[in-house]
Amino acid sequence: MEIVEILLVEDNMNDAELALMALREYNVANKIEHVKDGPEALEFMFRSGKYSHLDGLPPKVVLLDLKLPKLNGLEVLKEIKNNEKTKKIPVIMLTSSREEPDIQTAYDLGANSYIVKPVEFDKFVDALKSVGYYWMLINESPLKSLN
């Protein structure tokens, strides 16, 4: 099975399409999975529900929106970081919220980065290109130690 390098958790389809386009256009990841809400993100991460057939390693990086339906991004982050199998995976909060409590809580729960989505298309694409480039090509992944 091909390893998913990036899990994009985003309920806004316009933002998701832009993110996928930017990440693919700049070839920062070979395999990207997109899910639309918190429960689906956790099912993917923990190989349960409709993802129970998957085997292999979890994604190398999670790009996680804050405001998600059913289970918000902070709740998803908490579950990922409180699990021995997934706690070392970098989670980047990618959100429109500049609220100080959101930023503080995200870092308190173990977020590796907190990025506010730029409103302008070009800046959004540039931000995602930079994020993908750093986390996929420069940063050393903890996945080797997850086996």
Side-chain angles (χ1 to χ4, degrees):
M1 173 185 189
E2 190 175 6
I3 293 176
V4 170
E5 293 178 312
I6 297 175
L7 175 63
L8 173 64
V9 187
E10 174 61 70
D11 64 314
N12 180 306
M13 289 310 295
N14 289 331
D15 286 353
E17 287 176 24
L18 288 176
L20 292 168
M21 182 202 69
L23 293 167
R24 288 183 177 133
E25 180 179 335
Y26 292 101
N27 297 317
V28 295
N30 292 321
K31 180 77 171 104
I32 305 165
E33 183 74 25
H34 170 232
V35 299
K36 298 172 188 76
D37 62 42
E40 189 178 6
L42 293 177
E43 284 183 5
F44 185 86
M45 290 298 294
F46 300 118
R47 307 301 200 245
S48 63
K50 71 180 189 178
Y51 298 102
S52 60
H53 67 283
L54 297 179
D55 57 0
L57 296 173
K60 292 181 180 178
V61 175
V62 177
L63 299 178
L64 180 61
D65 189 17
L66 185 67
K67 294 176 169 82
L68 295 169
K70 302 178 187 174
L71 196 65
N72 72 42
L74 294 173
E75 294 167 308
V76 173
L77 174 65
K78 184 176 181 179
E79 292 295 320
I80 291 170
K81 293 299 183 175
N82 283 336
N83 186 290
E84 278 301 312
K85 293 181 180 177
T86 56
K87 72 180 183 181
K88 292 182 183 176
I89 295 170
V91 177
I92 293 87
M93 304 305 293
L94 187 60
T95 180
S96 56
S97 174
R98 290 183 184 276
E99 299 295 319
E100 190 63 30
D102 289 338
I103 296 168
Q104 288 302 315
T105 302
Y107 280 116
D108 288 345
L109 292 172
N112 297 86
S113 186
Y114 191 102
I115 299 170
V116 177
K117 297 177 195 172
V119 176
E120 297 87 20
F121 171 78
D122 290 342
K123 290 182 180 177
F124 185 69
V125 170
D126 286 345
L128 279 167
K129 179 177 76 169
S130 297
V131 167
Y133 182 77
Y134 175 78
W135 288 103
M136 296 305 302
L137 303 174
I138 295 174
N139 186 61
E140 287 294 324
S141 171
L143 286 182
K144 295 173 193 154
S145 64
L146 294 175
N147 290 328

